Amino acid sequence: MSRWTMAITTTNRTGAAPPTALPAGTEPDALTIGRRIRHLRTRRGMTLGELGDAISRAPSQVSMLENGKREPTIARLQAVARALGTSVDDLLSPEPPSRRDALEIELERVQRGPLFSALGVRPVRVGKSLPSDALEAIVALQAELERLHRERALTPEEARRANTELRADMRAQDNYFPDLEIVARSLLDDVGHTRGPMPQRAAVDVAAHLGFSIHYEPDLPQSTRAVIDRRNRRVYLPSNGIRGRSDARSALLQALASHVLEHAEPGDYAEFLRQRVEANYLCAALLLPERDAVKHLREAKDARAISIEDLRDAFAVSYETAAHRFTNLATRHLGIGVHFMKVHESGAIHKAYENDGVRFPADALGTVEGQHVCRQWTARVVFGIQDRLSPYYQYTDTPTGTYWCTSRVSDTPDGRFSVSVGVPYAQVKWFLGRETTARSTSRCPDDSCCRQPAQPLAERWAGQALPSARPHASMLAAMPSGAFPGVDTTEVYEFLERHAPAAEHDGELSPGVTRPLG
C-alpha cells in the first residue's frame, strides 16, 4: 500500500486530514508533477491553450502532461516553470498540491495497477465532476481491497479456512465418495482388471485406454511429480524415480485421475484442495478397489484382526495410502468411526481427518493443520520407539474418551512423519494390537498437560532462554501463488515445449509409445 493510500484510509477512520509530509528522498512521479502544473496553471487563471502557447505545445500535449500520461523532460519543465512564474524545484516537489489532488493521484495510480485490471471494473473518469466524497470512498475501498488481497497472498489464512471447510465436508460423508468409487470401478472394468490388487501393467493399461503414452524425462520440473500434456496425450514422469514415492503407479494414476475428473485450473485455493483430494481418492480407489478392499476388511473384522499393515501388504501400497483408504471404507462398510493423522516430527499436524469424536488441537478458525499434537498421543510417542519394523499400538485417555491408535514413522526429504489411524475404545475389539499394554493420559488442551514446563525448570530458566524457532517449513510458508499453488507454470510450459513431438510444430500430432512403469 502506498503512503497516500495509508493516509487516506486513516482519514476515513479518524476524520483527520492526511499528512502532507513525505519521507526524505521521495521522488516525484509524472502524476504528481502533472497535478502540480495544473494546480499552478489554474491558480494563475491560465487555460490549457495559453500555457500551450507559452511553451510552444498544443493544448492536448499540455493535457497529457497534466494527467501524468507523458514524462516531462528537464527542458520542458524549465519552459513550464518560466511560463507559470515558478521554479523547476517547485514543480518537482513530491508533495501533491492539495488533499483533493492527493486523492486524484492515488485513484489514477490504482486504476493503472494490476489489481484494478484484474477486477474487470471500468475505470472512473477523474475530473472536477467527481465529488470529493465519492472520490474518498472509491480510494478507501480500493485501499481495503489491496489490504485484503495482500493478506490473502502473504498469509496461509485462506488455505487454513479451505482445509477446515473441506475436512467438515469429508466428515459429513464419512470420507466416502460414491461417485469416485463408480469412476474407479468403471476404469478397472474397461481395462479388464476384475480382481485383486492393481499390478503395474494395469496402471499402464489405464493410461493407454485413456489415450495417453508414458514418457520418462530427467528434467521434469522440480515443482511437479508428473505432468500431463493433453494436446499430445502424454504423461511425463521423472526418469530418476518417482519423487517422494516408491510406488510408480501412484504418480501416474494421480495425474490421470485429474484428467479423468476433468479438472481445470482451479479458481481458488479451496478448489485446488478439493481437486487434490478427489485425485488422491480416485488413485487410491484404483490401487485398492472397493470390492476387494472391503472383502479383505470384512474378513479381517470377522476374525477380529483388522490391520493397516495387512491391508498395505495385501495391495502392495504405501502405509499412508492404506491408512487413507481405510478411512474411506471403515465407516460406510464396517460401521467403524475412525481418525487419521499425519504428524511431522516437530509435532505439527500435516493432515488430519476424524468422524469418531476425537478432539484435535485447533485454532480459533477450527484449523488443525499446523497445530501441535499432545506429547502423550500415539502420533508423538511413536517417534521415540526404536523398533521401526513392528507396528506401534497405544491407548490414550483424553478428555473426550479413550482411543486406541496404531502408528508408523516414515522418513521423507522434509523430515520424519508419523501416520496414525485410531478408533474409539469400543471399536478396538476388531483390531490386531488391542492387547497392547502401552497407555498414556492426555489432558490437552489443558496447558498443564504437556505445554507448560515443570515448575523447577520454569523457575530456573524463565527469562533466560532465547530459542530460534525452526517449525516445519510448510507452517511458515505463505500460501503458494499461481493457478496450481506451488507449481512454476513457466517451468512447466517450457518443459512441454522442449518435449513436444517434432511433428507438432509442423501442424501434426504424432502418437507416443507407452513404456512400462519402473
Side-chain angles (χ1 to χ4, degrees), residues 137-332:
I138 293 172
V139 171
L141 286 171
Q142 174 65 24
E144 184 65 7
L145 280 174
E146 288 183 349
R147 184 186 69 80
L148 293 173
H149 183 75
R150 185 177 64 255
E151 285 185 355
R152 290 179 65 185
L154 297 179
T155 73
E157 180 177 350
E158 183 178 357
R160 289 161 49 208
R161 288 184 183 275
N163 267 307
T164 301
E165 293 171 2
L166 181 58
R167 190 169 56 255
D169 290 344
M170 294 165 67
R171 184 191 307 117
Q173 57 193 68
D174 295 324
N175 204 21
Y176 180 79
F177 295 75
D179 291 345
L180 297 181
E181 299 288 354
I182 293 172
V183 173
R185 188 158 56 248
S186 176
L187 279 173
L188 292 172
D189 289 344
D190 288 344
V191 299
H193 181 72
T194 59
R195 283 291 177 188
M198 172 185 258
Q200 289 191 353
R201 180 187 67 259
V204 174
D205 289 344
V206 169
H209 170 69
L210 295 172
F212 285 92
S213 58
I214 303 170
H215 301 262
Y216 295 85
E217 300 295 345
D219 59 337
L220 197 74
Q222 286 296 316
S223 57
T224 65
R225 291 179 56 242
V227 175
I228 276 191
D229 177 355
R230 280 175 163 164
R231 175 182 298 166
N232 299 296
R233 312 295 289 185
R234 291 182 164 199
V235 182
Y236 291 101
L237 299 172
S239 60
N240 55 350
I242 306 301
R243 293 168 185 160
R245 300 272 182 145
S246 58
D247 189 348
R249 301 168 299 170
S250 180
L252 171 63
L253 293 175
Q254 283 185 356
L256 292 173
S258 292
H259 170 77
V260 169
L261 298 174
E262 298 182 347
H263 289 164
E265 289 189 1
D268 54 30
Y269 198 78
E271 186 178 356
F272 165 76
L273 285 178
R274 191 168 295 278
Q275 287 182 359
R276 187 173 66 176
V277 166
E278 291 174 351
N280 288 343
Y281 190 108
L282 182 53
C283 173
L286 290 168
L287 291 172
L288 296 88
E290 181 177 25
R291 178 174 52 195
D292 300 293
V294 169
K295 180 176 182 293
H296 170 94
L297 290 172
R298 281 177 173 164
E299 290 175 352
K301 183 182 180 184
D302 290 343
R304 296 179 179 248
I306 296 175
S307 165
I308 305 301
E309 284 80 6
D310 288 352
L311 184 64
R312 173 200 63 189
D313 295 342
F315 290 87
V317 295
S318 70
Y319 184 85
E320 183 175 350
T321 298
H324 269 299
R325 189 60 173 147
F326 179 73
T327 68
N328 299 153
L329 305 174
T331 306
R332 179 61 59 96

Side-chain angles (χ1 to χ4, degrees), residues 354-414:
E354 54 78 22
N355 71 346
D356 62 352
V358 73
R359 183 178 178 182
F360 290 138
D363 65 10
L365 298 176
T367 305
V368 303
E369 288 78 15
Q371 301 299 308
H372 281 74
V373 174
C374 176
R375 294 173 181 272
Q376 308 304 324
W377 282 25
T378 314
R380 293 289 298 276
V381 175
V382 69
F383 286 109
I385 303 301
Q386 296 299 315
D387 182 2
R388 296 280 293 273
L389 183 61
S390 305
Y392 177 69
Y393 309 113
Q394 177 182 301
Y395 290 96
T396 307
D397 299 318
T398 78
T400 59
T402 298
Y403 294 88
W404 171 92
C405 288
T406 177
S407 186
R408 275 193 175 274
V409 174
S410 61
D411 296 301
T412 77
D414 294 323

Side-chain angles (χ1 to χ4, degrees), residues 447-512:
D447 285 344
S448 66
C449 176
C450 63
R451 297 182 183 276
Q452 292 179 347
Q455 187 173 352
L457 282 176
E459 292 175 351
R460 177 172 176 78
W461 292 106
Q464 304 302 315
L466 190 62
S468 179
R470 188 191 176 196
H472 186 237
S474 65
M475 299 302 109
L476 283 180
M479 190 183 79
S481 61
F484 296 94
V487 173
D488 187 329
T489 304
T490 300
E491 190 180 22
V492 171
Y493 288 174
E494 289 174 348
F495 169 83
L496 291 175
E497 185 68 17
R498 285 196 304 274
H499 294 283
E504 180 187 354
H505 299 289
D506 298 327
E508 299 178 2
L509 301 182
S510 57

Side-chain angles (χ1 to χ4, degrees), residues 64-185:
M64 292 181 68
L65 187 64
E66 290 186 353
N67 289 327
K69 296 179 180 179
R70 175 167 294 180
E71 291 281 349
T73 63
I74 292 297
R76 184 67 43 78
L77 286 176
Q78 289 172 338
V80 171
R82 287 193 297 269
L84 297 177
T86 188
S87 66
V88 173
D89 286 343
D90 192 17
L91 295 180
L92 291 176
S93 172
E95 296 180 1
S98 69
R99 182 168 178 269
R100 166 80 188 200
D101 286 303
L103 291 166
E104 291 185 357
I105 289 170
E106 184 61 28
L107 183 54
E108 289 282 10
R109 283 174 179 159
V110 298
Q111 290 191 140
R112 298 177 188 182
L115 179 56
F116 196 92
S117 299
L119 294 174
V121 179
R122 293 181 61 183
V124 176
R125 185 178 181 277
V126 182
K128 293 180 180 179
S129 61
L130 182 63
S132 293
D133 57 347
L135 179 59
E136 288 195 43
I138 293 172
V139 171
L141 286 171
Q142 174 65 24
E144 184 65 7
L145 280 174
E146 288 183 349
R147 184 186 69 80
L148 293 173
H149 183 75
R150 185 177 64 255
E151 285 185 355
R152 290 179 65 185
L154 297 179
T155 73
E157 180 177 350
E158 183 178 357
R160 289 161 49 208
R161 288 184 183 275
N163 267 307
T164 301
E165 293 171 2
L166 181 58
R167 190 169 56 255
D169 290 344
M170 294 165 67
R171 184 191 307 117
Q173 57 193 68
D174 295 324
N175 204 21
Y176 180 79
F177 295 75
D179 291 345
L180 297 181
E181 299 288 354
I182 293 172
V183 173
R185 188 158 56 248

Side-chain angles (χ1 to χ4, degrees), residues 33-64:
I33 294 171
R35 285 302 189 280
R36 293 193 68 81
I37 292 173
R38 188 179 70 179
H39 177 77
L40 292 170
R41 174 180 65 77
T42 55
R43 192 171 68 177
R44 290 178 62 89
M46 295 179 67
T47 64
L48 285 172
E50 289 171 343
L51 180 56
D53 290 339
I55 64 174
S56 302
R57 287 292 181 269
S60 60
Q61 292 179 306
V62 177
S63 178
M64 292 181 68

